[in-house]
Amino acid sequence: MSNSSSALVTEFVLLGFPELCHLQGLLLGSFLTIYLVTVLENLVVVGTIRASRQLHTPMYFFLGNLSVLETLYTSVTVPKLLAILAGARAISFSSCLTQLFLFLSLGSSECFLLATMACDRYLAICRPLQYPAIMGSRLCLCLALSAWLGGFLASCVSTALITRLRFCGSNILNHFFCDISPLLQLSCSDTTAIEMLDFVAALAVLASSLLVTAFSYAHILATVVRVRGGAGRRKAFSTCASHLVVVAIFYTTTIFMYARPRAISSFALNKLVSVVYSVMTPLLNPLIYCLRNHDIREALAKLLRAPSSSAQLAEASRADPGTRLRAPERGSPPPAPCRRAAAPGATEACVGSEPESQAHDPFRGHPRQV
């Protein structure tokens, strides 16, 4: 990224949290723990969805994309925050702009992906008969790619405009990562046009995705109200409310930070809000969307039981060679075949097996494979 001001400013110094200098060790340990837990839980979600065939549905396909995005999103800022708390505060001009571009791109992609997920749930819950025909594997892939590419394209303009600013004064950034507001505060160029263009771009991304999300959840809530049975309605409301809490926190903080015509001058408030949507939201999203989900917990439990069952079977075979499988003797009756379910798309069930009873929850994945 070339810039005419690169000869004037070659690096920035990120202050982090100087007002909490007496708590640097505590902050380092806390943010490190949060980062490791965030990455671990997102990797668990992605691995579980990948390894469990029953989770190969549109809902979990989008949840897997969200987990990958959250891992990248938090990895853009938190490692540098840990380095700042450890004493490495300098960041080069090109690294600063790269961090800014990735942060804005992934944040915009998350807006589009949350809107896509809300639309998917709207179709599954409010249009269940048309849902299998609409949400095919090709459409799911196109929607996911559109969310990723749309976020990166939406951030190109803002980043390109910032590269043309002149930084001829102080190079001290009172923040823990390179964000738009502190960079505009340091520039000695006229930033009025850039602030307005950035405001329009942020408003377009947030308004379009928020309208789709709000429309989808409004219709979902209206459908949930008509669910028969108190237990099913309470479970659906609990799931829907937890989803709305995460969406509300993300959009509220993001709109407060970026959908403003002027840069924020209060750096303390700037950093506090930034911690919420860049550190806490990626931590909560896997817990709310995935690990509270019955299907994912069940699939994860099966994956955890599988290695121990295989080990026990291998140990029993070594202890008693007679327990190994043998070919049936001549004249013995063949084993009872599995009876295939009559409904199309249903799983096979052996004779005598009991079907699993499941409580009604409109937020469970649709059985269509992707």
Side-chain angles (χ1 to χ4, degrees), residues 149-186:
L149 293 177
F152 279 81
L153 291 176
S155 304
C156 288
V157 177
S158 299
T159 308
L161 292 175
I162 290 177
T163 60
R164 305 192 63 83
L165 293 177
R166 291 177 55 84
F167 298 92
C168 49
S170 173
N171 67 338
I172 305 297
L173 284 174
N174 189 8
H175 212 304
F176 61 89
F177 69 96
C178 292
D179 203 0
I180 292 181
S181 292
L183 282 173
L184 295 181
Q185 293 287 336
L186 287 184

Side-chain angles (χ1 to χ4, degrees), residues 176-198:
F176 61 89
F177 69 96
C178 292
D179 203 0
I180 292 181
S181 292
L183 282 173
L184 295 181
Q185 293 287 336
L186 287 184
S187 176
C188 54
S189 304
D190 183 13
T191 61
T192 303
I194 295 180
E195 288 178 356
M196 289 305 300
L197 289 174
D198 179 67

Side-chain angles (χ1 to χ4, degrees), residues 196-272:
M196 289 305 300
L197 289 174
D198 179 67
F199 167 72
V200 172
L203 194 61
V205 171
L206 292 170
S208 60
S209 59
L210 184 57
L211 284 176
V212 173
T213 304
F215 173 85
S216 301
Y217 276 109
H219 282 75
I220 289 172
L221 286 173
T223 302
V224 168
V225 170
R226 297 193 295 269
V227 172
R228 295 182 179 180
R233 187 183 298 112
R234 283 194 300 270
K235 185 172 183 179
F237 265 120
S238 174
T239 306
C240 188
S242 61
H243 289 193
L244 287 176
V245 167
V246 175
V247 171
I249 292 175
F250 177 79
Y251 277 108
T252 301
T253 54
T254 307
I255 290 173
F256 179 81
M257 286 294 297
Y258 298 104
R260 296 167 60 98
R262 298 288 298 177
I264 299 176
S265 57
S266 175
F267 290 113
L269 182 60
N270 191 335
K271 288 184 285 188
L272 177 61

Side-chain angles (χ1 to χ4, degrees), residues 79-157:
K80 184 57 185 176
L81 171 59
L82 298 176
I84 294 171
L85 295 173
R89 302 176 184 273
I91 183 172
S92 66
F93 188 85
S94 58
S95 297
C96 183
L97 292 181
T98 301
Q99 185 186 51
L100 174 65
F101 173 69
L102 292 176
F103 182 78
L104 295 178
S105 300
L106 293 172
S108 301
S109 296
E110 181 164 358
C111 291
F112 293 137
L113 190 56
L114 289 175
T116 302
M117 292 167 58
C119 187
D120 170 71
R121 290 298 84 205
Y122 161 75
L123 291 174
I125 297 169
C126 303
R127 300 288 186 270
L129 298 181
Q130 295 86 2
Y131 180 78
I134 296 174
M135 292 301 293
S137 57
R138 179 171 296 181
L139 179 61
C140 290
L141 183 60
C142 290
L143 290 174
L145 288 176
S146 299
W148 284 89
L149 293 177
F152 279 81
L153 291 176
S155 304
C156 288
V157 177

Side-chain angles (χ1 to χ4, degrees), residues 61-85:
F61 172 74
F62 293 128
L63 285 175
N65 276 267
L66 180 65
S67 294
V68 173
L69 189 147
E70 294 286 17
T71 303
L72 298 175
Y73 187 62
T74 191
S75 297
V76 170
T77 56
V78 177
K80 184 57 185 176
L81 171 59
L82 298 176
I84 294 171
L85 295 173

